[in-house]
Amino acid sequence: MEEGSSKPSNSSWDKILNLKHITMEGYKRKPISHWILLALSIVAMLVAFPASSLLTRVYYSNGGASKWIISWVAVAGWPLTALILFNSYFFLDSSPTPLTFKLLVSYVVLGFLSAADNLMYAYAYAYLPASTAALLASSSLAFSALCGYFIVHNKLNASMVNAIVIITAAMAIIALDSDSDRYDYVTDHQYTMGFIWDILGSALHGLIFALSELVFVKLMGRRSFHVVLEQQVMVSFFGFVFTTIGVIVNNDFEGMASEARSFKGGKSSYILVLVWSAITFQLGVLGGTAVLYLASTVMAGVLNAIRVPITAIAAVILLHDPMSGFKILSLLITFWGFTSYIYGNSSASSEDSPS
């Protein structure tokens, strides 16, 4: 290799310096309210999502049994997001996106898939420790990358492929260590099914993410804060409708009274767990939406990477989840995979940036 061949050319340095200059100028132009809102959004993602996951596990540990109820709770807080959306029309002086037939159909389909996804995760958390379920759910990043590549034609470079392989290896490590964290009241079959439902839910989550991006590209043609909120509200609403039908058909609303009576801590604890599960999940969604709009997709990816170990560690401390050496190794490998993906995503973004 010739001397200096590994160094960037003058034109490359000019591009790097130009991008840094544009970025710094952009930061300087941001008002203090932007940074306050971004900070609050980051806190919402890093606190609300892990809290929602832990509350789901608390529901099952303290006597709850319904998978449909937990699925219903995940989308029952959609009016909170709708309230913020309506306020954004007023304060941001924006108008609603025209609701075409194709857009309505896309909302219905995404709502149905979201309801199915929530149900799969409910089965996973019913049979798996919260730390294990969170680590398995991190595989959604790999599925998002693959679905984005095939459906939206997003770039998939070597670092991203490396991340997919690494995260897959982390999931295999958890599978090999299944006996160390299985609850006594959970059978081998239930644990295996929880593992499978978690992976399937992660795959469906990746598909939903790619289809949502496709809706933005093909049907909306723009991406702003209120447009992102519109999609979230409509998808959550139809997910709420489909899940409510499932709860009614399964007679789980009638079973809530008996569940509340036998719940550890009584009826008040039962209600608090479900209410705060709904609130924290929606706060996490709002935080993620705001980070995506105020910062970038890469920033949202970084925070998603961080909240996986936060959920796992919080589950060990607060719920006394078992944490074996294999699970710690899987956690470290998962974080490595996230880092590789973020690096690859950053590289792809810089290549697309104008010189």
Side-chain angles (χ1 to χ4, degrees):
M1 182 179 292
E2 295 180 2
E3 182 178 353
S5 61
S6 61
K7 297 180 180 179
S9 63
N10 290 335
S11 60
S12 298
W13 278 115
D14 290 340
K15 290 180 181 179
I16 294 172
L17 292 174
N18 184 45
L19 284 173
K20 287 183 178 179
H21 174 73
I22 293 173
T23 303
M24 291 304 297
E25 288 298 317
Y27 285 156
K28 291 177 182 178
R29 287 196 296 266
K30 300 294 185 184
I32 186 66
S33 58
H34 170 92
W35 298 110
I36 293 175
L37 183 57
L38 179 59
L40 291 174
S41 302
I42 291 173
V43 171
M45 277 194 73
L46 297 183
V47 175
F49 271 138
S52 178
S53 299
L54 296 185
L55 286 169
T56 299
R57 187 56 242 173
V58 168
Y59 166 81
Y60 288 118
S61 297
N62 289 3
S66 173
K67 284 75 176 178
W68 278 107
I69 290 296
I70 285 298
S71 304
W72 181 77
V73 164
V75 286
W78 71 268
L80 177 63
T81 310
L83 180 62
I84 295 176
L85 172 62
F86 294 146
N87 286 329
S88 72
Y89 290 142
F90 178 76
F91 290 107
L92 300 179
D93 193 24
S94 56
S95 57
T97 303
L99 187 61
T100 64
F101 178 74
K102 287 184 178 180
L103 192 56
L104 178 61
V105 170
S106 72
Y107 287 151
V108 173
V109 171
L110 287 173
F112 176 78
L113 294 178
S114 178
D117 191 42
N118 291 333
L119 186 61
M120 290 178 184
Y121 279 132
Y123 272 94
Y125 274 89
Y127 302 135
L128 301 176
S131 55
T132 302
L135 285 170
L136 291 174
S138 66
S139 62
S140 64
L141 179 63
F143 290 114
S144 295
L146 290 173
C147 291
Y149 176 76
F150 288 109
I151 296 175
V152 196
H153 305 298
N154 290 335
K155 288 187 175 180
L156 194 64
N157 57 30
S159 294
M160 294 179 179
V161 174
N162 181 58
I164 294 172
V165 174
I166 291 171
I167 293 174
T168 302
M171 301 307 101
I173 290 174
I174 295 179
L176 293 173
D177 191 41
S178 60
D179 289 337
S180 68
D181 65 351
R182 181 171 58 83
Y183 294 121
D184 294 336
Y185 57 85
V186 175
T187 65
D188 289 336
H189 176 72
Q190 288 175 329
Y191 186 94
T192 301
M193 291 308 301
F195 194 100
I196 293 173
W197 283 123
D198 208 337
I199 296 297
L200 289 176
S202 299
L204 185 55
H205 187 79
L207 176 62
I208 293 171
F209 189 86
L211 292 176
S212 299
E213 188 173 354
L214 187 66
V215 169
F216 281 119
V217 174
K218 298 293 185 181
L219 300 181
M220 291 183 163
R222 56 177 179 156
R223 182 178 299 193
S224 63
F225 184 65
H226 83 273
V227 169
V228 176
L229 277 180
E230 282 175 347
Q231 188 191 63
Q232 184 59 48
V233 169
M234 294 301 292
V235 171
S236 294
F237 170 73
F238 283 111
F240 174 77
V241 171
F242 286 119
T243 307
T244 301
I245 294 173
V247 174
I248 293 173
V249 171
N250 207 47
N251 295 321
D252 279 9
F253 279 135
E254 289 81 355
M256 290 180 72
S258 61
E259 265 195 356
R261 286 193 298 270
S262 61
F263 196 77
K264 184 178 180 180
K267 183 178 179 180
S268 59
S269 296
Y270 181 80
I271 294 173
L272 284 174
V273 167
L274 294 183
V275 169
W276 278 108
S277 293
I279 293 174
T280 52
F281 187 85
Q282 287 302 313
L283 286 177
V285 169
L286 286 171
T289 302
V291 168
L292 192 65
Y293 173 70
L294 295 170
S296 66
T297 304
V298 176
M299 172 65 79
V302 171
L303 295 175
N304 268 320
I306 294 174
R307 75 182 178 93
V308 170
I310 288 177
T311 304
I313 294 171
V316 172
I317 296 174
L318 300 176
L319 304 182
H320 307 293
D321 270 12
M323 180 62 80
S324 66
F326 279 106
K327 192 181 290 186
I328 293 174
L329 178 61
S330 177
L331 178 62
L332 295 174
I333 291 176
T334 299
F335 197 77
W336 174 24
F338 272 120
T339 304
S340 179
Y341 179 83
I342 293 166
Y343 174 79
N345 196 12
S346 301
S347 300
S349 299
S350 63
E351 289 174 3
D352 293 335
S353 300
S355 58

